[in-house]
Amino acid sequence: MDLKDISQKEVLRYLGYGNHCADETITKLISECIIEILNHCHSNHIYKRFHCIVEKNKIMFENVVIESKNLSKNLSECEEIILFAATLGTQPDILLKKYSYLDMSKAVIMQAAAAAIIEEYCDQCQKQIEKELEKENLYLRPRFSPGYGDFHLKHQKDMILLLDCPRKIGLTLTDSLLLTPSKSVTAVMGISKKNKHCHIKGCESCDKINCAFRRD
């Protein structure tokens, strides 16, 4: 996958700039951080399909029961889901720790750049999955990660276990339910027989405010 076209605008969004422009110094530093992370990260991902039952505010698959109004709304009319996990590997964490001692300003920008990179990587993975599902006339819903809305972080345990993440991509979970390496993502994606034209980046980037599947 080509991660070279990471948007500076996206990094600035993570830095809290909104619609404001950064000065030349910050812009240059963002480019340096993006290049450094891309030169050191070892991105990897894994996903697996599961049949599911969505009833009221419950999602059931395998031996897992998730109670979440937000997620069940997102998965409405889905009979299958994809459990997905991705990581940039351990090197970004090492860089972040190093710059937290050497240059805190750069560490902050490095943090934002790494966040933008893992999201872009997930977007590219999702596009590949969409292409595979299109062969079966199936459609993919946007990523929905534990911790969003009422989708509890504790369900990352189920996802890590079912995907065999520690062995397959080196992704583990701490006792406080944090992913390690830190620049990692777990998510659920619904598989639908109907094309709802969902935006790959989710509801935050979509202007269909009356959509029945929109996250609250």
Side-chain angles (χ1 to χ4, degrees), residues 85-89 93 118-119 122 156 169-172 179-186:
T87 182
L88 295 183
D93 285 351
I118 185 62
E119 285 301 312
C122 290
Q156 289 196 131
I169 61 172
L171 178 59
T172 60
L179 295 172
T180 181
S182 68
K183 295 310 168 192
S184 304
V185 168
T186 59

Side-chain angles (χ1 to χ4, degrees), residues 117-148:
I117 290 169
I118 185 62
E119 285 301 312
E120 175 63 24
Y121 179 61
C122 290
D123 288 347
Q124 291 188 19
C125 293
Q126 190 169 332
K127 287 175 184 176
Q128 285 191 348
I129 297 170
E130 283 183 333
K131 288 180 181 179
E132 290 298 314
L133 291 176
E134 284 173 4
K135 298 173 185 177
E136 303 175 50
N137 294 316
L138 296 172
Y139 303 93
L140 196 64
R141 298 276 173 85
R143 298 188 300 276
F144 203 110
S145 294
Y148 190 95

Side-chain angles (χ1 to χ4, degrees), residues 68-90:
S68 169
K69 179 182 178 181
N70 300 123
L71 182 58
S72 61
K73 180 181 178 181
N74 184 265
L75 297 178
S76 177
E77 300 181 7
C78 293
E79 296 177 357
E80 285 186 274
I81 58 171
I82 282 177
L83 296 190
F84 171 86
T87 182
L88 295 183
T90 59

Side-chain angles (χ1 to χ4, degrees), residues 158-170:
D158 302 315
M159 298 170 72
I160 293 287
L161 180 63
L162 287 169
L163 291 173
D164 195 12
C165 287
R167 188 172 67 87
K168 295 289 183 63
I169 61 172

